[in-house]
Amino acid sequence: MSDNSQDRLQEYLDFAIQLAKDAGALIKAAVDSRMAGSGSNIELKKENPTDLVTETDKAVEEFIKERLYKTYPEHKFIGEETFASGAKTEFTNDPTWIVDPIDGTTNFIHGYPFVAVSIGLTLNKIPTIGVVFNPLLNELYSAARGQGAYLNQTQRLPLFHPPQPLTDLSHCLIATEAGSDRSKQVIDAKIAAIHDMLRKRSKESPYAAEAHSIRTTGSAALNLCNVAKGIIDVYWEVGCWEWDVAAAIVIVQESGGIVIEGDNDKLNNEPVNIFCRKYLAIRAASDNKSQLEIASQMKNLIPNISAPRPPVPGGYSY
Ligand code: LIP
């Protein structure tokens, strides 16, 4: 049986769903015990004080990694905390699980309920299985390539049938994030882009969109799941990582949405390289042409922001 035979995909999907539920229970228990005054989540800081990590992030990643290696010892693993510890990022054609134990760590620390465990699987480098579970709101998003995307395993995504027409960026609800790079250059560029998303078109701002509004959940994975639901029209973020998006990209694609590179280069319809750290997602619509039109309107106002991969002791190969 090949790794992407239908039986195998179902097996991987069922496994990832159960793993996300079990990991989600750990996250929920940590939040509950902190709220009840009995928890002791020590807040650790990475070098960057806006890129937080807690004991729970580490414990949940270890829990997931152990279960994965026990079940699929021959598979590869890329995880946020494993990367942070300096391990080599190796991306090959082998089945590779790409995991964020807590996407929305800042929310987790504050008790803001947009927190998710994100478990993706690539086969031949193609994102194929995606499971994102928010244990605080009890919302589980799942998808396997070719089999559709679901909320809580029963409700097919998007929520709107048929999807609402995508006419113009001025009618869109756009999600984006501050991100963890707070350098003046990056924040100025992001604020300028948000300014253009919101303001009326003028001589000084020829591509301004006067969009319906901006939303931010604090979780790349959940922003993408909102695109899959169809309740967010456009999501753009620069600076997040493959573990934030690998699972949710499958969910968006299986809902009929597209995810392309979120830079200001020429529009192309190629699925995004998950390692590019710049993502632009457009929700499902009745035709690809209208999705590309919205993407092209976004590209006109997206600034050039660099999001390099910092050197790590283990290095990269992808
Ligand atoms: C977070 C992302 C968020 C982004 C942050 C951070 P974490 O992931 O999901 O969208 O803006 O910079 O990367 O660190 O909570 O797993």
Side-chain angles (χ1 to χ4, degrees):
M1 197 163 35
S2 78
D3 271 319
N4 52 8
S5 69
Q6 289 311 313
D7 286 353
R8 259 287 149 101
L9 290 194
Q10 193 57 51
E11 175 199 320
Y12 292 148
L13 179 63
D14 293 344
F15 170 79
I17 288 173
Q18 191 53 53
L19 186 54
K21 286 180 177 173
D22 294 344
L26 299 178
I27 298 169
K28 172 96 169 57
V31 171
D32 288 348
S33 71
R34 273 176 58 222
M35 286 186 170
S38 52
S40 59
N41 268 308
I42 304 151
E43 187 182 313
L44 303 172
K45 286 182 175 169
K46 290 185 192 164
E47 246 169 64
N48 176 352
T50 53
D51 190 5
L52 304 174
V53 57
T54 68
E55 291 292 357
T56 311
D57 294 72
K58 293 181 173 190
V60 174
E61 182 153 319
E62 279 312 305
F63 169 82
I64 292 173
K65 209 159 51 165
E66 207 181 299
R67 175 89 63 88
L68 275 168
Y69 280 143
K70 218 188 234 164
T71 316
Y72 299 115
E74 72 289 5
H75 288 189
K76 301 288 189 310
F77 180 83
I78 296 172
E80 179 171 21
E81 306 316 328
T82 306
F83 166 85
S85 72
K88 178 171 185 182
T89 296
E90 209 172 356
F91 190 52
T92 64
N93 284 335
D94 290 340
T96 303
W97 295 90
I98 304 183
V99 169
D100 190 348
I102 302 183
D103 188 48
T105 302
T106 306
N107 292 341
F108 171 78
I109 289 166
H110 288 266
Y112 190 68
F114 296 92
V115 167
V117 51
S118 170
I119 301 177
L121 173 68
T122 60
L123 300 179
N124 298 314
K125 298 193 170 178
I126 299 171
T128 303
I129 300 286
V131 177
V132 173
F133 179 42
N134 178 344
L136 306 185
L137 299 179
N138 208 20
E139 291 193 324
L140 184 133
Y141 303 86
S142 59
R145 185 151 301 284
Q147 296 179 13
Y150 291 87
L151 172 60
N152 292 334
Q153 296 173 263
T154 51
Q155 199 167 3
R156 184 94 191 231
L157 299 176
L159 298 177
F160 295 90
H161 297 286
Q164 316 213 81
L166 264 179
T167 51
D168 189 82
L169 200 50
S170 60
H171 296 152
C172 288
L173 190 57
I174 304 173
T176 189
E177 294 289 334
S180 54
D181 183 345
R182 302 297 170 82
S183 61
K184 178 168 166 38
Q185 203 186 7
V186 167
I187 291 302
D188 281 354
K190 287 187 175 177
I191 296 296
I194 292 171
H195 204 253
D196 277 349
M197 289 172 208
L198 294 174
R199 74 186 291 192
K200 272 192 204 294
R201 197 159 295 173
S202 68
K203 252 200 276 151
E204 310 76 64
S205 194
Y207 295 120
E210 204 179 352
H212 277 179
S213 200
I214 299 290
R215 297 289 180 267
T216 167
T217 65
S219 156
L222 291 173
N223 285 325
L224 285 165
C225 289
N226 283 340
V227 171
K229 272 177 160 172
I231 62 173
I232 285 290
D233 301 300
V234 177
Y235 163 60
W236 168 66
E237 183 165 358
V238 172
C240 52
W241 295 84
E242 50 277 13
W243 45 78
D244 297 316
V245 301
I249 282 174
V250 188
I251 297 166
V252 171
Q253 290 171 336
E254 284 300 311
S255 73
I258 59 170
V259 187
I260 60 177
E261 204 155 315
D263 57 19
N264 56 7
D265 280 0
K266 231 175 98 247
L267 180 66
N268 89 42
N269 204 4
E270 291 297 302
V272 72
N273 167 355
I274 57 170
F275 289 87
C276 75
R277 304 196 64 201
K278 301 178 180 191
Y279 309 94
L280 176 61
I282 316 287
R283 70 156 167 83
S286 51
D287 61 308
N288 183 240
K289 195 164 160 262
S290 59
Q291 293 174 310
L292 293 180
E293 173 55 30
I294 298 293
S296 132
Q297 290 182 20
M298 275 298 288
K299 280 193 171 241
N300 282 334
L301 53 76
I302 287 175
N304 195 6
I305 301 177
S306 101
R309 303 183 74 83
V312 286
Y316 302 97
S317 106
Y318 58 92

